[in-house]
Amino acid sequence: MAVDYAVIVVYLAGMLAMGWWGMRRAKSKSEFLVAGRRLGPWMYSGTMAAIVLGGASTIGGVGLGYQYGLSGAWMVFTIGLGLLALSVFFSARIARLKVYTVSEMLDLRYGGRAGIISGVVMWAYTLMLAVTSTIAYATIFDVLFDIDRTVAIVLGGAIVVAYSTLGGMWSITITDMVQFVVKTIGVLLLLLPIAVIKAGGFSEMKAQLPTEYFDPLGIGGETIFTYVLIYTFGMLIGQDIWQRVFTARSDSTARWGGTVAGTYCLVYAIAGAVIGTAAKVMYPKLASADAAFATIVKDELPVGVRGLVLAAALAAVMSTSSGALIACATVANNDIWSRLRGVVAGGGGEERDEVKGNRAFILIMGVAVIVIAIALNDVVEALTVAYNLLVGGLLVPILGGLLWRRGTAAGALAAVVVGGVAVIGLMAGYGILANEPVYYGLLASLAVYVVVSLATKPTDAAVLAAWRERLAGRGAEDGAEGPATPDAVTV
């Protein structure tokens, strides 16, 4: 394992070096939080694919393939569909708004009265997303070094917190681009063909496994529908995803770069399911489906290649973890803390102080994430709670604001509160992992949004006019926009 260890150590050291490089570049709020809004299409595509394809998509995707066969691809597939929908229909408008958070968008659309409540909901979602990503380090480092779960979480979490705190979005962008390359080589180009060959090829896989393993809908229609509600719609409204859209150099970059990333996700989904299916042939009686990825990597890959593939898994976890962490800190500082203090975020004269403040919040949130990850055991339940709250509470007011002119601030606030409370109450009644909470919570949010909006005074014409100006890319104030991007950054 010495060669494999060396590969991993070099990779981790490189992540920290990227953080140091990012610190030298992130001199303003815009640079620190959204990479100066200067990413070109190729870098944007790579980093967007990196953040949405995390440990759940890699380790969990292979596990679903082990359990259900090719239909296990649906979870990651719906993530790709959500990213495609966001990129094609909404990303250009989102990028032109020149804001930093989803709650700022709601404030612009509804007149400044929807932000703090939506900020709390979004903060809870991003916090749980960061926590669940951080817990995944325990699985990977256990395979690598056979170390204690707590030590693994602290080690992996500390590295992510370090480079994220140092350079903000610039550090995360560069590390995500490296992680995207490592994942592509490790999972798609190495692990996928090796797994299929070791399993005897597709003909042998079909001969050894039940026919339902090759049924595209074998996982069940209701499960697929739930995945669409949670993950496809979750991609449309998550702060971690929107914050990457804000990094795009132009609306065309956001649209086409995101489309490429979404298509990549679809391929990654199928690859994970095929790897899991191959693992089922080789190891038909594993105690846990989620152990399939680690088992096939540990037992079937040659020295050096094994280290690279494990680095790919680590890259998947780190990219999601760092993206969720900066999103959590951005919401906590800009949407909650600054409002509670009565301070309006922004203003060119305070840019350097704002960098320090956001850096401090990343460090604070990072430490909190590590502590919660150590204490928490059930990753699936935590992630389900996060996505149910996000979709049930925020999907309707966000999409309503983008698509329906008659939506009002009162309707948006009612939708957030009723949808969020309904989801929590229904999870208590039906169980956290049940499908009903997100179904009924979303319907309650939609009904309240429409009824209250129609029953209250329409949004002020001046607010809507300002909103339309921002959607058109005019009237945005971003004091840290900076000069045109050098070629080395805009590729």
Side-chain angles (χ1 to χ4, degrees), residues 82-448:
L83 187 52
L84 284 172
L86 174 70
S87 302
V88 173
F89 299 112
F90 300 109
S91 63
R93 282 182 281 179
I94 293 170
R96 288 196 293 265
L97 290 173
K98 294 292 190 292
V99 294
Y100 293 103
T101 67
V102 174
S103 294
E104 288 181 37
M105 167 263 170
L106 292 173
D107 278 350
L108 281 171
R109 169 60 181 82
Y110 295 111
R113 290 179 289 171
I116 192 164
I117 295 178
S118 63
V120 171
V121 175
M122 189 65 76
W123 174 78
Y125 156 72
T126 54
L127 179 69
M128 283 296 99
L129 184 61
V131 167
T132 53
S133 300
T134 302
I135 291 174
Y137 296 128
T139 301
I140 299 171
F141 280 107
D142 178 59
V143 175
L144 288 173
F145 306 117
D146 193 25
I147 59 178
D148 179 73
R149 175 183 183 273
T150 298
V151 175
I153 290 172
V154 171
L155 177 60
I159 293 171
V160 169
V161 172
Y163 73 70
S164 300
T165 302
L166 285 172
M169 187 59 82
W170 269 123
S171 294
I172 293 171
T173 294
I174 301 302
T175 54
D176 276 0
M177 198 63 196
V178 173
Q179 289 158 358
F180 169 73
V181 173
V182 171
K183 280 192 288 191
T184 301
I185 295 173
V187 175
L188 297 185
L189 301 184
L190 292 176
L191 183 58
L192 175 61
I194 290 174
V196 172
I197 291 171
K198 291 282 187 177
F202 284 104
S203 58
E204 182 65 19
M205 290 162 62
K206 288 184 177 181
Q208 293 288 333
L209 296 173
T211 55
E212 56 263 28
Y213 264 72
F214 302 92
D215 180 358
L217 303 179
I219 199 170
E222 185 178 354
T223 299
I224 294 170
F225 181 67
T226 302
Y227 284 158
V228 170
L229 279 184
I230 293 177
Y231 297 114
T232 301
F233 287 121
M235 288 295 106
L236 297 180
I237 58 176
Q239 169 68 24
D240 51 324
I241 309 301
W242 277 42
Q243 200 155 345
R244 294 310 173 94
V245 176
F246 299 151
T247 66
R249 182 177 58 190
S250 64
D251 52 7
S252 61
T253 295
R255 182 184 297 112
W256 296 111
T259 301
V260 171
T263 304
Y264 178 90
C265 291
L266 303 183
V267 174
Y268 200 89
I270 297 171
V274 171
I275 293 168
T277 305
K280 184 67 175 179
V281 173
M282 291 182 277
Y283 310 99
K285 296 183 179 181
L286 289 178
S288 168
D290 285 340
F293 180 89
T295 302
I296 195 171
V297 169
K298 195 172 185 179
D299 293 349
E300 302 297 336
L301 299 187
V303 173
V305 173
R306 180 171 50 204
L308 183 60
V309 173
L310 287 171
L314 195 58
V317 176
M318 283 187 158
S319 57
T320 300
S321 180
S322 59
L325 177 59
I326 193 171
C328 178
T330 301
V331 171
N333 187 22
N334 292 272
D335 290 339
I336 300 174
W337 178 243
S338 65
R339 294 170 192 261
L340 293 176
R341 290 170 53 211
V343 176
V344 179
E350 299 295 327
E351 287 288 338
R352 289 183 180 274
D353 290 339
E354 288 191 42
V355 170
K356 292 179 182 178
N358 282 291
R359 184 173 280 136
F361 264 86
I362 291 179
L363 180 59
I364 294 168
M365 291 296 105
V367 172
V369 164
I370 292 172
V371 171
I372 297 171
I374 292 171
L376 197 64
N377 289 319
D378 199 320
V379 180
V380 175
E381 287 194 357
L383 194 60
T384 301
V385 170
Y387 271 101
N388 281 355
L389 277 173
L390 176 70
V391 174
L394 291 180
L395 177 67
V396 170
I398 291 172
L399 293 189
L402 290 169
L403 299 174
W404 191 39
R405 181 177 177 177
R406 187 60 180 82
T408 66
L413 286 171
V416 172
V417 174
V418 171
V421 171
V423 164
I424 293 172
L426 290 165
M427 282 192 293
Y430 284 99
I432 290 176
L433 299 181
N435 294 327
E436 288 83 0
V438 71
Y439 295 168
Y440 300 143
L442 191 56
L443 287 174
S445 179
L446 177 60
V448 169

